[in-house]
């Protein structure tokens, strides 16, 4: 049997590829997998050649009994926010339980017969990317039933900085469950340790968590994802811009959904003094894009240098260009920001420097908490 993922010593080896560390933990156990299209094993030294974790473990005679699917579905084809229904995986024939439908937390009935849970999702290190919320509920449900969880860690492509407002608990939602900044600088394995260690689970339940660490990795090491983490993050540039541009999802400005430049451009029909333009149309990543069929004027960001912090300039600029006939903010903006203060500051004419100053104390406090759970430096 060929085991994939055996690469040169100086290359990054993700948790899923470190079979010697976790296959012994699965021996004789009935296994559940929380995964999707990013749960892959890359073949040795071969780009764009990989197998899915579920397929690989089954081929290694691991007793995989059930699959659990986050936002975008187990094979990763659903739009953002689209309802994911239970079903069967067409390739393996295994039952798929949706964690993005009526219940985002696995029920006791759904976990029946599972001895151990394997969690393997490619996160992007941003609070409103929902895979960390899925992790929270999986840890909570498994902790309540004394089911151990193995997190197969993967690099965070936005681990090189920490920035943004820290969420206020009165604004918790599935796009923000914890008092962390928008960009938190941790891998999903480190984050899982923090969820349990800080007793953020319901009733402070504890969960037996094992993180299979990444080999040859640190937070400053840039990592290009082998597959896109969601349908509307198609490349490294979109992933880098996502923390800053996603705020536009709570405004009347499009981030390019319905084009092939998602999260690399922005625009709206009201910004008609700008030269750059695009027309959103339904596509595989967005069946009903914002401003569908309308000319959107805005900015093309595909050639700018990678960001080292959140950019608020684009928000402030487009807000100032707005008119009363076109309401700028939606109620979703507060959920994304995790606070009402950011919208209020923008409306009151705060500069970017003034807004950043209000984040300083909360960011300092978070960094102290974060230190306790770091696996990589």
């Amino acid at each position: 049997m060929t085991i994939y993922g055996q690469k040169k010593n100086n290359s990054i080896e993700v948790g899923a590829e470190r079979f010697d560390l976790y296959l012994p933990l699965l021996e004789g156990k009935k296994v559940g997998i929380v995964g999707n299209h990013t749960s892959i094993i890359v073949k040795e030294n071969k780009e764009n050649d990989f197998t899915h974790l579920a397929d690989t473990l089954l081929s290694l005679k691991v007793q995989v009994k059930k699959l659990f699917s986050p936002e975008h579905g187990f094979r990763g084809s659903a739009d953002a926010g689209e309802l994911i229904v239970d079903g069967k995986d067409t390739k393996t024939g295994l039952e798929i339980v949706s964690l993005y439908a009526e219940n985002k937390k696995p029920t006791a009935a759904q976990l029946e017969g599972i001895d151990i849970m394997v969690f393997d999702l490619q996160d992007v290190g941003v609070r409103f990317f929902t895979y960390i919320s899925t992790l929270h509920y999986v840890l909570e449900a498994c902790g309540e039933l004394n089911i151990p969880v193995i997190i197969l860690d993967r690099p965070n492509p936005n681990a090189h900085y920490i920035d943004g407002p820290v969420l206020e608990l009165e604004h918790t939602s599935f796009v923000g469950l914890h008092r962390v900044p928008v960009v938190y600088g941790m891998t999903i394995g480190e984050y899982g340790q923090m969820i349990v260690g800080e007793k953020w689970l319901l009733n402070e339940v504890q969960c037996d968590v094992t993180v299979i660490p990444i080999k040859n990795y640190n937070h400053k090491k840039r990592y290009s994802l082998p597959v896109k983490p969601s349908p509307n993050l198609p490349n490294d540039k979109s992933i880098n811009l996502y923390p800053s541009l996603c705020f536009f999802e709570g405004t009347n400005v499009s981030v390019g959904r319905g084009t092939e430049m998602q999260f690399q451009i922005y625009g709206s029909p009201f910004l008609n003094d700008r030269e750059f333009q695009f027309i959103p149309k339904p596509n595989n990543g967005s069946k009903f894009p914002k401003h569908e069929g309308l000319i959107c004027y805005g900015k093309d960001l595909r050639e700018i240098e990678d960001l080292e912090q959140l950019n608020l300039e684009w928000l402030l600029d487009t807000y100032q260009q707005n008119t009363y006939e076109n309401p700028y903010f939606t109620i979703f903006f507060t959920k994304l920001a995790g606070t009402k203060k950011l919208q209020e500051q923008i409306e009151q004419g705060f500069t970017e420097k003034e807004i950043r100053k209000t984040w300083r104390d909360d960011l300092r406090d978070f960094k102290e908490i974060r230190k306790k759970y770091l696996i990589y430096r």
Side-chain angles (χ1 to χ4, degrees):
M1 176 60 64
T2 300
I3 294 182
Y4 302 119
Q6 298 173 344
K7 300 184 180 65
K8 296 177 182 178
N9 290 332
N10 62 353
S11 64
I12 285 176
E13 194 170 298
V14 301
E17 296 168 349
R18 304 190 72 184
F19 296 99
D20 57 318
L21 299 184
Y22 70 93
L23 283 183
L25 305 178
L26 305 181
E27 190 172 348
K29 304 287 179 63
K30 296 175 181 176
V31 178
I33 297 177
V34 180
N36 65 4
H37 66 291
T38 68
S39 312
I40 60 171
I41 310 294
V42 178
K43 295 184 180 180
E44 183 179 1
N45 300 322
K46 293 181 180 179
E47 293 185 8
N48 301 317
D49 195 359
F50 47 78
T51 61
H52 195 283
L53 175 69
D55 304 331
T56 303
L57 293 186
L58 285 168
S59 73
L60 295 171
K61 309 304 179 186
V62 174
Q63 297 181 66
V64 180
K65 295 298 182 183
K66 195 175 291 187
L67 310 174
F68 296 81
S69 165
E71 184 177 8
H72 307 302
F74 192 74
R75 298 287 176 177
S77 58
D79 288 357
E82 183 177 352
L83 184 68
I84 307 295
V85 297
D86 296 346
K88 278 194 175 184
D89 181 38
T90 54
K91 187 165 185 179
T92 65
L94 291 170
E95 178 185 356
I96 298 177
V97 175
S98 171
L99 300 181
Y100 201 75
E102 294 181 2
N103 65 292
K104 294 180 171 61
K105 175 179 174 179
T107 66
Q110 290 167 341
L111 292 171
E112 187 175 353
I114 299 297
D115 298 324
I116 192 166
M117 184 71 78
V118 175
F119 187 101
D120 183 26
L121 294 175
Q122 176 62 64
D123 189 38
V124 298
V126 185
R127 189 182 65 219
F128 32 67
F129 199 69
T130 62
Y131 296 169
I132 55 172
S133 295
T134 296
L135 174 61
H136 173 104
Y137 287 123
V138 168
L139 293 175
E140 190 171 278
C142 289
E144 290 168 350
L145 296 171
N146 296 312
I147 298 172
V149 176
I150 297 174
I151 301 175
L152 305 180
D153 212 2
R154 292 180 179 270
N156 171 3
N158 285 310
H160 54 293
Y161 70 99
I162 300 165
D163 204 7
V166 170
L167 179 134
E168 298 165 352
L169 291 180
E170 60 265 36
H171 299 299
T172 56
S173 70
F174 199 61
V175 292
L177 286 177
H178 311 120
R179 278 193 53 75
V180 302
V182 171
V183 185
Y184 45 80
M186 305 173 79
T187 67
I188 201 162
E190 293 172 321
Y191 198 98
Q193 292 185 149
M194 183 171 65
I195 290 173
V196 175
E198 293 302 303
K199 300 182 179 180
W200 288 342
L201 301 176
L202 183 66
N203 299 322
E204 299 186 357
V205 68
Q206 290 295 290
C207 182
D208 179 359
V209 177
T210 300
V211 177
I212 305 301
I214 310 154
K215 187 176 181 180
N216 299 320
Y217 173 72
N218 62 64
H219 288 141
K220 298 299 181 183
K221 198 166 189 176
R222 303 309 287 268
Y223 180 71
S224 182
L225 273 57
V227 295
K228 54 187 178 182
S230 67
N232 283 291
L233 292 178
N235 53 36
D236 292 345
K237 180 59 69 178
S238 65
I239 291 167
N240 177 259
L241 291 170
Y242 173 73
S244 298
L245 293 187
C246 196
F247 285 120
F248 282 132
E249 301 276 63
T251 74
N252 61 11
V253 177
S254 165
V255 292
R257 292 184 188 271
T259 75
E260 299 303 317
M261 301 171 285
Q262 309 98 313
F263 288 99
Q264 300 154 82
I265 60 175
Y266 68 83
S268 180
F270 73 78
L271 297 171
N272 53 15
D273 64 333
R274 316 291 169 99
E275 289 187 11
F276 178 72
Q277 57 184 257
F278 60 93
I279 301 176
K281 298 178 181 179
N283 64 9
N284 290 334
S286 184
K287 295 182 176 65
F288 306 101
K290 186 185 297 183
H291 302 313
E292 179 181 341
L294 300 178
I295 299 176
C296 292
Y297 305 89
K299 191 165 186 175
D300 184 353
L301 304 171
R302 286 174 290 176
E303 300 301 324
I304 70 166
E305 290 187 12
D306 281 352
L307 299 183
E308 302 291 331
Q309 64 177 18
L310 286 179
N311 180 297
L312 296 179
E313 170 195 345
W314 304 319
L315 263 179
L316 297 174
D317 175 54
T318 54
Y319 175 76
Q320 291 161 3
Q321 189 75 19
N322 194 50
T323 63
Y324 290 112
E325 294 78 27
N326 299 289
Y328 186 78
F329 292 106
T330 72
I331 58 173
F332 192 45
F333 187 85
T334 294
K335 287 187 176 181
L336 292 170
T339 173
K340 287 185 177 178
K341 292 174 186 173
L342 182 56
Q343 178 176 339
E344 293 168 351
Q345 290 165 340
I346 293 171
E347 291 173 336
Q348 291 166 17
F350 277 47
T351 65
E352 182 166 354
K353 185 177 180 180
E354 289 169 334
I355 292 171
R356 287 188 172 282
K357 189 176 179 180
T358 66
W359 301 344
R360 186 175 55 197
D361 291 346
D362 284 343
L363 284 175
R364 180 197 61 218
D365 294 343
F366 169 73
K367 288 176 183 178
E368 286 302 309
I369 294 171
R370 171 182 175 270
K371 283 180 185 177
K372 297 184 286 184
Y373 304 103
L374 295 182
I375 301 171
Y376 323 95
R377 300 290 174 174

